[in-house]
Amino acid sequence: MSSLRPFCLTTWLAAPAAAVLLLLTPASQSLAQAPATQATPAPAQPADPASASPSQTTVAATSSEQRGVTARAVDKVKQAAKSAADIFSRVPCLPPKGGSKAMGTLPHVASKLVAGQPVVIVAFGSSSTAGFGATSPEFNYPNRLAAQLRRHYPTADITVVNAGVGGEDAPEMMKRLQTQVIDVHPDLVIWQVGTNAVLRNLDPADTAKLVEDGISRIQAAGGTDIVLVDPQYSPAVNQRKESAGKMIKLLGNVAELRHVGIFPRFEVMRDWHENQSIPVESFVIADGLHMNDWGYACFAQLLGDDIIRSVGQIKLGVNVPADVRTYRPM
């Protein structure tokens, strides 16, 4: 897993406020949250305010209101940036101790970033992709990841689509795989899966088979890197250790068989608690299942660092396959 380094937020804050707010809002929520309206410059006003026509006065008032909206947007962006910068000052986000430093590449997304081409990432999953437990949409992991990549590649056109739906697992996800993943033509799919199957006592082998079929369909479309994300380490999942263990093992087997990446979320979160002595309540909310702002932030940071490192390898001409045997951010 990559070492964690704070990134400068200057570039992010320099963007127009309305644009930044749009970037921070996941695609699945864009209709629910109306974007801030950019101010339109008012036409030149007469020297004597009293001589202004009613239409001119209306335009001036409207522009003033719009400037007020933009100012509030800037304040919101600054506050979000401050939270993003401050969250790790309370509890540092560190890589697991004693983990392997081996790292593979994500060739499609990395090559696009190197070439300066638009990049599309789909975060596919359930409630921990949608961001349940985060105090604000800005703090779910897809938005954290998008913000990190845009800070690191300020001139890049990066889109991160949040395709998380709470309560789902592989059977439900397969029903929307075509329209919400394959038809989007993503360069990278981050597929978080398996937790709800564990909680429902479903057969892990059935989940693994569906995930394998889904990966095959994505790969058949071509041009997409895939990273699986296994269940989280949390009290609710730990109550079903046997099922969780089988699920984690089978997802790893599928990743190796299909030559895709896997982010070992369970192992990473367990390291936070068991080796780094971070209390569970520091990264899991009161329901004992979902991550909080810090948990999502650290998860996103580690994923982002791996993508950034992969871009660096492509630039250096290192051609390491995106294979689970090497792509393990540990």
Side-chain angles (χ1 to χ4, degrees), residues 72-140:
R72 290 193 294 273
V74 170
D75 289 341
K76 184 176 180 181
V77 169
K78 287 181 178 179
Q79 183 58 42
K82 183 177 184 296
S83 298
D86 289 351
I87 196 165
F88 295 139
S89 66
R90 298 189 294 274
V91 180
C93 177
L94 303 174
K97 298 177 182 178
S100 170
K101 301 303 181 184
M103 176 67 194
T105 62
L106 301 170
H108 293 103
V109 68
S111 296
K112 285 285 195 73
L113 284 170
V114 168
Q117 298 175 347
V119 167
V120 176
I121 299 171
V122 172
F124 192 44
S126 57
S127 56
S128 59
T129 296
F132 188 88
T135 59
S136 168
E138 286 89 346
F139 301 150
N140 64 41

Side-chain angles (χ1 to χ4, degrees), residues 135-160:
T135 59
S136 168
E138 286 89 346
F139 301 150
N140 64 41
Y141 103 74
N143 275 337
R144 288 280 194 183
L145 176 63
Q148 179 186 357
L149 294 178
R150 289 169 185 145
R151 289 195 300 270
H152 200 82
Y153 306 106
T155 62
D157 179 1
I158 300 171
T159 300
V160 179

